[in-house]
Amino acid sequence: MNQKCAKKMERKLNKLKHVVFKETGIVCSLNPTNNIVICNAGLVNGLSEETILEHFSVYGTLNNIVLVPGKSCSFVSYVELDMACKAYEALNGQLPIAQDNKPVYLLYAERLPQHSIDSRKVWDELPGGLVILDDFITENEEKLLLSLCCFDDSLVSQMKNRQVRHFGYEFRYDNNNVDKDKPLDEKIPKECDFLWKRLHENTDWKQFVPDQLTVNHYSLGQGIPHHVDTHSAFEDPIMSLSLNSAVVIAFKRDDRDICVKLPPRSLCIMSGETRYDWTHGIIPRKSDVVLSNTGSYTLLPRGIRVSFTFRKIRQGECNCQYTRNCDSYIRKNNSELQIAASEIERLHVIDVYENIALHFNETRNKPWPNVLEFVNSFDVGSVMLDVGCGNGKYLGKNKHVFDVGCDTSCALLDVCKKNGFETFLTNCLQLPFKDAVADGVISIAVIHHLASEERRLQAIEEMIRILKVDGRALIYVWAKDQHKNNEKTSYIKQDRKNRKSDTDVVVADENSEAPVSKGMTLPVHVNRTQFKHKDVLVPWRLKNQQNTVEDTFLRFYHVFEENELSDLCSKLENVEIERCYYDQGNWCVVLRKTLIKNS
Amino acid sequence: MKLLTHNMLTSKCMKGVSVGYPLSIKALDIRTVEVEFNPEFVAKMIPKIDWAVLCSAAESLGKTELPKEVIDNYENDQDFLKKVHHILLEVDVIDGELVCPETGRKFPINNGIPNMLLNEDEIYL
C-alpha cells in the first residue's frame, strides 16, 4: 500500500470508528483483539452468518458471529488473537462482501455487543415433543429409499422451492389439506415397512403406522417456508426421514427460534407441542451455520437433500389444546359464534319486532328525505327491493318502479299488505331472489341488527348478488356517534321530552347488562344517550293507547363507527362505493355493482 | 303475491339447491286487484322477465291468455300490453304455496305474502 492509500484508509477507519460507536456503543481501534468488527456491512445490507463464516473461518476457529438487527456493522470473534490478526491483514479493504460488492473495512473491537439477533436463536435445546433419532437407518437402507423415488418430471409436482411427490393421499397445497375420501392408487411403498418395525421395537411410538408419505426433493439452495402441518389433516406425530444431506431446520414459537441440525439418515419425530404449536421451516440457502458443541461456529455445506415425511391421516376433527394454530378449533369456534349470533337475532330482533309491530308502525311514518330522493332516482320499469322494509314506509313512493319489500316480521308485512304493497317474508341473509334482477336495493336501519361482522357482510353480499351490474344499493345503519360535528342528533335531543312523559319509568342503570345467549351478556343502552358500546341492547318500551308502558323489549344493535360501513362494503370485489355520508345519526352508503375487478 | 314477484323468486339459498327456479305455484285463493295501467312500464318490464316462466305460472293459475312467445313490436300493441299488465300486476295469489323444483320444499303463501324464511338446518352457516 502506498502512503497516499494508507492515509486514506486511516481516515476512513477513523470515521467508521465513530459510526460503530454511535450505532452500538462499542469502542474499536487498530489495537488487535480477538474481536473484529466489520464496519460497513451487516444485516441491513443483506450480510448473512454463512457469508461471514465462509470467508472468516479460513483464518481460524470462530467462537461467535454477531449480526446486529437494523445495523450496518457486524462482529466476529476468534478463539486465538493471531487468527484475528491474520484475518484482519488479509481482508481489511479487500474482501468484497459489503453492499454492491464493495470491500469491507475492519477494526478490532474491545468486546462484542450483548444483544444480537442470534441471542434469540437457540442451539442447545429442543422444543417440547421433538425427538431426533440419529442414524435411524443405514447407508444401504438410505440408498434403497432414494432409489424408490425417481424425480422424473412426469411424476412430480414442481413447487416454487422444491419438488414433491405424494403416496397414499395427495396433499393439496391450495387448501393445505388432503382429500380424505380420495386415496391415491399409489400407496406408501412396502420398502418403507421396516421403519415401523424398528420404530415400534426401539421407541415409545408402538402404534404409529403412517398412511401418507410426502417426498420432498430439495436442490441446493432450496428450502420450505415456516408452517404448522394442518391439524385436521394429520394425526400426531409426524415423522420425517432425512436422506443424502444434512440441513438445519428452525422451529419457531412466539419469539423463540430454535435451530436443529438434521443429519442424513436421522429420523425427526414431531409430536405434542412441536407438531401442533411450533412452526418449522428451512431457510433457502446453500449452507448452514452450525454452532458446535465446543461453542464455535462452522459452516455446514448442504447437498441435495431428500426427505420422506410420513403422516397418518386424521379421521374427524382435531381436538388438541393448541387452539391458536388449530383449524378445527377455529372452524368450530366460528360456527358456534354464528349460532350465538343467530340466537341473539331471533330473540332480540325478530321476536321483538313481532311483539312491538303495531306500536312500531305508529311511530314510523315519516320517510327520511335522503332515502326518498334515492328511491325516486330510479326510472320507469325499474325493479327495487326494500330489504327489511318494516311497515313499508318507502314502498309505493316511486310510482314508476316495481317495488317489493321483505322483512322477518309477519305483523309488519301484514301492515304493508293492507296498504297494497308487495312483500315476502325472508331473512336478509338469504334473499330468495334470482341473481341480477334488481335495479335498486334499499336497506334502511336493518343490518345493524345482525350480530356478527360475517353476517353483516353476508347481508350486503346478498343485496349485491340480486342487483344487476350498474344497479345501486342504499344502506343505512345506526352510528355509534350521535354527536357528529358537535351537533346532537334528534335521537339525543328527544331526551328531555321523553323523560317528561315517562316520569314513571325508572332510569336504567348506566352499567346494566342482560343475558342474551349461553352465558353471554350484553350492555343495555340508556335510551336517548350517546352509545358507550358497539354491541348493545336498546330497550323498546311498549306503550298502550293511554301511552303508558306495558312492557319493555330489548332490541340488539351493532352501532357503527365512522368508516366501518364503507370498510365492510369494500371487502366485496364487485362493488364501488359511490357515496358515504352521515345522516341524522346514521352512517349511509350508496353502492354500485360493478363487474368483478380485473376480470 | 303477484306473478311479477314470482318471476324473480327462487329457493337457491337453500342448502343443496343449485338453481331453485322456477318455483311452482299451488294456489288456493287467487284474487284480482286493480292496478293503474302504465304501458311504458309494462313495455320496459317485458325484456326483463322470464317469459316462459310467466306463461307457465299464469297457466297453472288457469290464465291462458298469454302467447307462448312475446309478439313483435309489443311496445305499440296496447291490447297485448294490457294483457301482460293484468298477468304481471293484477293477479294476486292470496293463499297457497310455492314449491321448490329440486327439493319439493313448500313455501306457504298467507294473506298474499310468501313465507320464504328458511330453517337453520336448511342454510349454510
Side-chain angles (χ1 to χ4, degrees):
Chain A
M1 214 188 293
N2 63 37
Q3 225 173 10
K4 202 174 153 199
C5 277
K7 261 267 166 11
K8 204 174 153 196
M9 172 71 83
E10 202 186 313
R11 272 204 307 275
K12 183 142 204 142
L13 289 175
N14 203 32
K15 212 165 108 190
L16 286 166
K17 186 168 102 176
H18 293 292
V19 173
V20 171
F21 182 74
K22 218 171 131 191
E23 289 227 302
T24 65
I26 286 172
V27 177
C28 30
S29 69
L30 292 166
N31 303 327
T33 67
N34 289 24
N35 313 315
I36 292 177
V37 53
I38 306 168
C39 306
N40 60 333
L43 279 174
V44 293
N45 320 97
L47 188 62
S48 68
E49 287 169 338
E50 57 173 317
T51 308
I52 294 176
L53 196 60
E54 183 188 336
H55 297 286
F56 283 81
S57 62
V58 174
Y59 304 95
T61 309
L62 296 173
N63 61 13
N64 215 341
I65 299 171
V66 180
L67 289 154
V68 190
K71 303 293 179 203
S72 55
C73 59
S74 38
F75 298 80
V76 293
S77 171
Y78 284 94
V79 179
E80 308 278 352
L81 182 66
D82 65 315
M83 296 171 179
C85 296
K86 267 194 249 162
Y88 188 94
E89 290 309 319
L91 302 176
N92 185 31
Q94 302 292 318
L95 179 66
I97 58 167
Q99 198 150 342
D100 304 325
N101 298 324
K102 294 212 171 98
V104 291
Y105 293 99
L106 310 177
L107 283 167
Y108 294 102
E110 57 161 4
R111 60 176 176 87
L112 297 181
Q114 278 172 337
H115 297 290
S116 70
I117 186 166
D118 298 305
S119 65
R120 285 195 295 118
K121 270 196 187 171
V122 178
W123 284 90
D124 48 4
E125 59 180 281
L126 298 181
L130 178 68
V131 174
I132 312 287
L133 300 174
D134 286 347
D135 294 312
F136 189 73
I137 57 170
T138 66
E139 286 187 29
N140 281 337
E141 287 162 346
E142 181 183 30
K143 276 193 197 121
L144 169 82
L145 292 177
L146 283 169
S147 72
L148 290 175
C149 214
C150 69
F151 272 84
D152 106 40
D153 287 348
S154 63
L155 289 169
V156 300
S157 348
Q158 196 76 41
M159 304 276 291
K160 190 176 159 203
N161 297 311
R162 60 195 195 279
Q163 293 175 299
V164 291
R165 211 175 139 185
H166 304 288
F167 298 85
Y169 293 83
E170 167 107 36
F171 184 79
R172 289 176 45 186
Y173 293 92
D174 55 345
N175 63 359
N176 285 326
N177 214 317
V178 285
D179 284 330
K180 294 178 186 178
D181 48 0
K182 284 186 203 149
L184 297 172
D185 292 338
E186 206 172 4
K187 306 295 171 205
I188 299 179
K190 293 238 174 317
E191 288 85 344
C192 297
D193 287 353
F194 76 92
L195 295 168
W196 317 123
K197 188 162 175 274
R198 190 168 298 166
L199 184 80
H200 299 163
E201 277 169 10
N202 300 303
T203 72
D204 289 339
W205 283 277
K206 307 285 183 202
Q207 309 291 327
F208 184 76
V209 179
D211 52 11
Q212 197 273 342
L213 164 62
T214 297
V215 179
N216 283 288
H217 181 279
Y218 298 89
S219 295
L220 207 56
Q222 293 186 319
I224 185 169
H226 266 268
H227 66 281
V228 175
D229 288 62
T230 308
H231 287 201
S232 67
F234 305 111
E235 297 269 0
D236 172 5
I238 288 166
M239 305 210 173
S240 191
L241 201 58
S242 293
L243 305 177
N244 207 53
S245 165
V247 78
V248 169
I249 185 169
F251 291 88
K252 288 187 185 176
R253 183 167 75 170
D254 302 323
D255 57 350
R256 304 258 294 147
D257 188 349
I258 297 181
C259 298
V260 179
K261 182 178 155 188
L262 301 178
R265 298 176 297 284
S266 67
L267 183 68
C268 168
I269 303 174
M270 294 183 276
S271 71
E273 63 173 70
T274 297
R275 185 260 174 274
Y276 290 123
D277 211 29
W278 290 72
T279 64
H280 55 275
I282 296 170
I283 300 170
R285 55 187 187 187
K286 292 185 174 157
S287 46
D288 289 298
V289 175
V290 179
L291 185 66
S292 73
N293 297 335
T294 55
S296 65
Y297 283 92
T298 52
L299 201 62
L300 183 72
R302 291 184 188 171
I304 290 171
R305 175 174 172 267
V306 176
S307 71
F308 278 47
T309 302
F310 296 97
R311 300 179 280 204
K312 183 153 175 47
I313 301 293
R314 181 188 296 279
Q315 301 302 331
E317 295 293 340
C318 177
N319 203 16
C320 73
Q321 52 173 308
Y322 306 97
T323 52
R324 91 178 129 173
N325 287 314
C326 184
D327 59 312
S328 290
Y329 173 83
I330 291 165
R331 258 196 311 278
K332 180 165 164 272
N333 204 33
N334 190 42
S335 80
E336 276 174 9
L337 218 94
Q338 296 308 317
I339 289 167
S342 105
E343 195 175 308
I344 289 171
E345 289 160 22
R346 187 170 50 77
L347 292 172
H348 291 282
V349 181
I350 298 176
D351 289 358
V352 172
Y353 276 104
E354 208 56 31
N355 281 309
I356 66 172
L358 295 177
H359 181 212
F360 179 84
N361 178 38
E362 288 164 20
T363 63
R364 295 293 188 279
N365 294 311
K366 227 169 101 190
W368 289 332
N370 283 323
V371 180
L372 266 189
E373 196 189 314
F374 180 82
V375 168
N376 284 321
S377 70
F378 286 86
D379 290 340
V380 183
S382 297
V383 171
M384 292 195 68
L385 182 67
D386 184 346
V387 177
C389 64
N391 61 351
K393 72 174 173 173
Y394 296 107
L395 294 174
K397 297 290 185 231
N398 181 341
K399 302 287 181 200
H400 308 295
V401 305
F402 179 65
D403 51 2
V404 186
C406 61
D407 207 285
T408 56
S409 165
C410 244
L412 286 170
L413 293 188
D414 284 338
V415 173
C416 291
K417 185 69 189 170
K418 253 181 226 151
N419 294 319
F421 303 139
E422 181 76 351
T423 62
F424 50 85
L425 266 173
T426 192
N427 193 302
C428 64
L429 296 166
Q430 295 90 25
L431 296 176
F433 254 17
K434 289 208 294 182
D435 299 356
V437 288
D439 301 282
V441 168
I442 60 169
S443 181
I444 309 305
V446 176
I447 65 166
H448 54 210
H449 285 312
L450 297 172
S452 78
E453 185 169 298
E454 286 82 7
R455 294 165 78 83
R456 294 186 284 271
L457 182 63
Q458 190 186 330
I460 300 171
E461 228 175 330
E462 274 293 272
M463 297 178 214
I464 300 303
R465 177 184 66 78
I466 66 154
L467 272 184
K468 293 174 185 163
V469 169
D470 256 355
R472 289 176 296 139
L474 174 69
I475 302 172
Y476 267 56
V477 293
W478 217 357
K480 181 166 185 286
D481 188 0
Q482 293 292 320
H483 278 158
K484 192 83 178 124
N485 307 328
N486 290 327
E487 213 178 292
K488 291 178 182 174
T489 61
S490 58
Y491 175 71
I492 303 275
K493 282 187 203 151
Q494 283 170 32
D495 181 33
R496 196 175 300 164
K497 195 173 73 193
N498 267 23
R499 285 230 182 117
K500 263 186 196 162
S501 64
D502 286 9
T503 41
D504 51 343
V505 173
V506 182
V507 176
D509 174 7
E510 295 242 328
N511 296 314
S512 81
E513 297 238 335
V516 284
S517 170
K518 276 179 248 157
M520 268 173 76
T521 63
L522 279 176
V524 178
H525 175 63
V526 180
N527 287 81
R528 310 288 165 194
T529 63
Q530 180 79 299
F531 287 103
K532 288 198 178 128
H533 306 273
K534 291 189 68 180
D535 292 296
V536 291
L537 297 169
V538 178
W540 178 279
R541 304 211 168 82
L542 187 66
K543 294 173 186 172
N544 61 16
Q545 308 237 298
Q546 288 76 45
N547 206 27
T548 53
V549 176
E550 279 190 335
D551 207 347
T552 297
F553 293 96
L554 297 174
R555 280 185 301 169
F556 171 82
Y557 277 88
H558 171 84
V559 287
F560 281 65
E561 303 270 18
E562 184 161 9
N563 298 326
E564 187 180 344
L565 180 59
S566 48
D567 286 349
L568 196 60
C569 295
S570 39
K571 288 187 179 177
L572 300 178
E573 281 191 319
N574 52 348
V575 162
E576 191 182 288
I577 299 173
E578 280 207 336
R579 202 176 153 213
C580 180
Y581 59 101
Y582 183 86
D583 185 4
Q584 275 301 309
N586 296 282
W587 287 111
C588 324
V589 284
V590 176
L591 306 175
R592 183 183 289 276
K593 181 168 176 172
T594 60
L595 293 167
I596 290 190
K597 289 164 204 161
N598 313 322
S599 68
Chain B
M1 180 199 66
K2 298 179 193 295
L3 291 187
L4 180 47
T5 305
H6 170 263
N7 209 264
M8 298 183 281
L9 285 177
T10 154
S11 55
K12 71 174 282 177
C13 293
M14 270 178 81
K15 216 192 265 183
V17 172
S18 56
V19 183
Y21 184 82
L23 304 169
S24 60
I25 310 173
K26 301 255 182 327
L28 295 171
D29 183 5
I30 306 164
R31 289 184 207 167
T32 304
V33 287
E34 207 172 307
V35 176
E36 197 185 326
F37 176 52
N38 179 346
E40 192 193 352
F41 173 89
V42 180
K44 288 221 166 148
M45 203 51 84
I46 287 172
K48 295 184 177 187
I49 58 182
D50 188 321
W51 187 260
V53 168
L54 181 69
C55 285
S56 58
E59 258 169 48
S60 76
L61 304 182
K63 313 268 177 191
T64 53
E65 56 262 52
L66 290 182
K68 285 272 174 266
E69 304 274 338
V70 181
I71 61 164
D72 291 337
N73 201 18
Y74 61 82
E75 299 95 322
N76 302 313
D77 188 328
Q78 292 287 309
D79 284 347
F80 177 76
L81 292 177
K82 263 191 187 147
K83 271 190 218 167
V84 179
H85 164 77
H86 173 71
I87 296 295
L88 281 178
L89 301 173
E90 295 192 320
V91 175
D92 198 0
V93 181
I94 300 298
D95 209 347
E97 56 197 25
L98 295 169
V99 185
C100 167
E102 291 170 44
T103 61
R105 158 75 144 94
K106 296 184 171 97
F107 299 95
I109 304 171
N110 294 310
N111 187 29
I113 303 166
N115 181 349
M116 306 304 291
L117 283 169
L118 297 170
N119 301 322
E120 234 147 69
D121 57 357
E122 292 175 318
I123 56 176
Y124 297 101
L125 260 186

